[in-house]
Amino acid sequence: MPPAPLPSFATRLIDWQRAHGRHGLPWQGTRDPYRVWLSEIMLQQTQVQTVLAYFPRFIQRFADVQALAAASADEVMQLWSGLGYYSRARNLHRAAGQVVAQFGGQFPTDTQALQSLPGIGRSTAHAIAAFCAGERVSIFDANVQRVVARYLAFEGDLAQAAHVRQLWALADGLLPAPDADLRQAMPAYTQGLMDLGATTCTPRRPQCPRCPVAQDCRALRTERVLSYPVKTRKLKRSSETWYWLVLADGPLHAPGTHMLLEKRPERGIWAGLHCFAVLPSQEALLARLAHCTEAAALAGWPGWAGGAGQAARPAPAVQWQNGFRHVLTHKDLLLIPALARLPHAGAQPRPALHAGAQAGGAPLRWVAVGDILGGAVATPAPLLAWLKAQQSAPAAQSPIKFE
DNA sequence: AAGTCGGGGGA
DNA sequence: TCCCCAGACTT
């Protein structure tokens, strides 16, 4: 009589997940592809702890894909504000519209249809199909790459796409057997892979004694766990200094003070968010300030514009603030706010500025400090952080000077 | 194949 | 500080 076969990688992983994996997260315990999709997108390059604050709010506002499709892009951006990688939010909204238009509002669960939606690549499509339909496909995010590379002692450099594809194919060999009950097995297997990478097979301090597949791990066998995955870094971060034109009509710690924000282009950094004008030099900032204040005078700014000839009034002085650093993956930004003040408009309506006040013709809005802090408009995280800091340490109030 | 997109957490 | 992370998209 032949000996019973040893439990497979997949079997051990599934058993471990049920006993020691993460349960009870808001996006778990469902096969609703809308919820799974939303969680997968939010969790791209973003930690669970962060997503926990956003996911319930999003679901509460958009209970299903129809509700999301019917929303304005601005509102979606607003709910996404602070999560980063804003193209995810834009694609999310576009994909919702596509599901309504092309799939009759029924969210697909097969990998082919999923990958036709914007923002869903191969790995995310596999995750949704595995969780919702039990499709026998491998997810392959950074956690899984680490687990599998260690388990197989994979020597290829994962900085190269060809090696990633190669390891991905090897990962397929670890999937639950095709004749298993995949509708039960695939969700637990997929979740188990992610949980193992997140809680046990961690980058720096893996807890191998608690790993369910340690007995077969080729990296552990040679005590080279930390040598995997092989991944060369070629991060060369460039530095830039940006000047922020902060045009306000009162002290920054007063909720009623309004500030001029412009909507950023749909591509590039902080795409689609509302932000202070960003200028590459002090000279450019002063020129923009002159444009804006001239435009404000022409538009009849309360207490300032006074008829013909007012357009020639010089721009108010600026107060240069201390710069602060904001680091992105590929760019190191030094942000220097320059505060300029228009006369207080009180409760009077602030006139819209013509598009010429902004070089690219981007939409300009006067927004109250209280509304910005309250999240009424989507703003980049560093802007919000800086404005919050101004609440507790208000800049010295100086009278408005005209030169 | 390389570059572009944020932000937060952990060592 | 530096490294890492539930990637997709553009060029």
Side-chain angles (χ1 to χ4, degrees), chain A residues 30-366:
Chain A
T30 177
R31 292 182 189 273
D32 176 4
Y34 170 70
R35 285 174 164 251
V36 173
W37 166 63
L38 180 60
S39 71
E40 289 297 328
I41 300 298
M42 283 188 170
L43 286 160
Q44 286 171 6
Q45 307 292 301
T46 308
Q47 310 245 341
V48 168
Q49 197 58 38
T50 307
V51 173
L52 278 174
Y54 283 80
F55 183 83
R57 273 187 9 206
F58 225 90
I59 288 293
Q60 186 171 15
R61 172 60 187 86
F62 307 119
D64 50 39
V65 69
Q66 284 85 0
L68 178 56
S72 72
D74 270 347
E75 191 182 2
V76 176
M77 293 306 290
Q78 190 181 314
L79 276 174
W80 200 270
S81 189
L83 260 183
Y85 283 107
Y86 298 97
S87 65
R88 292 186 295 174
R90 202 168 48 255
N91 286 333
L92 198 77
H93 190 228
R94 285 173 50 209
Q98 214 164 302
V99 167
V100 168
Q102 296 176 10
F103 297 101
Q106 187 84 1
F107 210 101
T109 58
D110 64 286
T111 53
Q112 291 299 320
L114 285 166
Q115 283 186 78
S116 74
L117 297 172
I120 301 184
R122 188 176 169 199
S123 186
T124 300
H126 285 195
I128 300 171
F131 278 125
C132 301
E135 198 172 330
R136 190 172 173 276
V137 285
S138 302
I139 57 166
F140 211 56
D141 54 59
N143 273 337
V144 180
Q145 289 178 24
R146 186 174 58 254
V147 170
V148 177
R150 284 175 175 170
Y151 184 72
L152 300 176
F154 184 76
E155 300 289 347
D157 181 359
L158 295 185
Q160 298 177 24
H163 290 147
V164 174
R165 282 195 301 273
Q166 193 182 341
L167 184 59
W168 202 336
L170 291 173
D172 287 345
L174 301 176
L175 285 166
D179 59 355
D181 179 5
L182 295 177
R183 231 180 127 66
Q184 300 298 325
M186 281 310 302
Y189 176 80
T190 304
Q191 188 66 50
L193 267 183
M194 295 191 294
D195 291 352
L196 190 65
T199 68
T200 305
C201 194
T202 54
R204 305 294 186 79
R205 297 191 172 186
Q207 300 177 265
C208 298
R210 297 170 54 176
C211 175
V213 295
Q215 62 193 92
D216 300 328
C217 179
R218 296 180 62 176
L220 180 58
R221 192 174 306 162
T222 54
E223 296 185 355
R224 301 244 303 148
V225 172
L226 290 181
S227 302
Y228 302 95
V230 179
K231 198 175 203 173
T232 59
R233 284 199 77 77
K234 44 185 177 293
L235 174 69
K236 51 173 194 284
R237 191 147 38 209
S238 58
S239 293
E240 285 185 39
T241 300
W242 288 359
Y243 298 87
W244 268 359
L245 175 56
V246 183
L247 193 54
D249 72 347
L252 296 181
H253 56 85
T257 293
H258 281 59
M259 306 201 296
L260 186 65
L261 301 183
E262 64 178 48
K263 192 171 191 296
R264 293 189 58 82
E266 293 304 324
R267 311 187 67 105
I269 192 168
W270 302 323
L273 273 59
H274 289 86
C275 187
F276 304 135
V278 171
L279 286 310
S281 69
Q282 300 191 9
E283 294 73 24
L285 182 138
L286 294 175
R288 173 68 62 83
L289 173 62
H291 268 294
C292 288
T293 50
E294 181 183 351
L298 285 174
W301 186 268
W304 192 28
Q310 290 299 326
R313 194 199 290 260
V318 300
Q319 300 171 348
W320 296 99
Q321 309 285 308
N322 288 329
F324 60 99
R325 202 159 289 282
H326 183 71
V327 182
L328 290 71
T329 305
H330 60 294
K331 210 164 279 184
D332 188 355
L333 301 176
L334 178 60
L335 300 168
I336 302 181
L339 180 57
R341 296 264 304 275
L342 282 174
H344 188 47
Q348 301 176 62
R350 290 150 186 85
L353 301 189
H354 62 77
Q358 198 279 345
L364 299 169
R365 289 176 60 180
W366 293 98

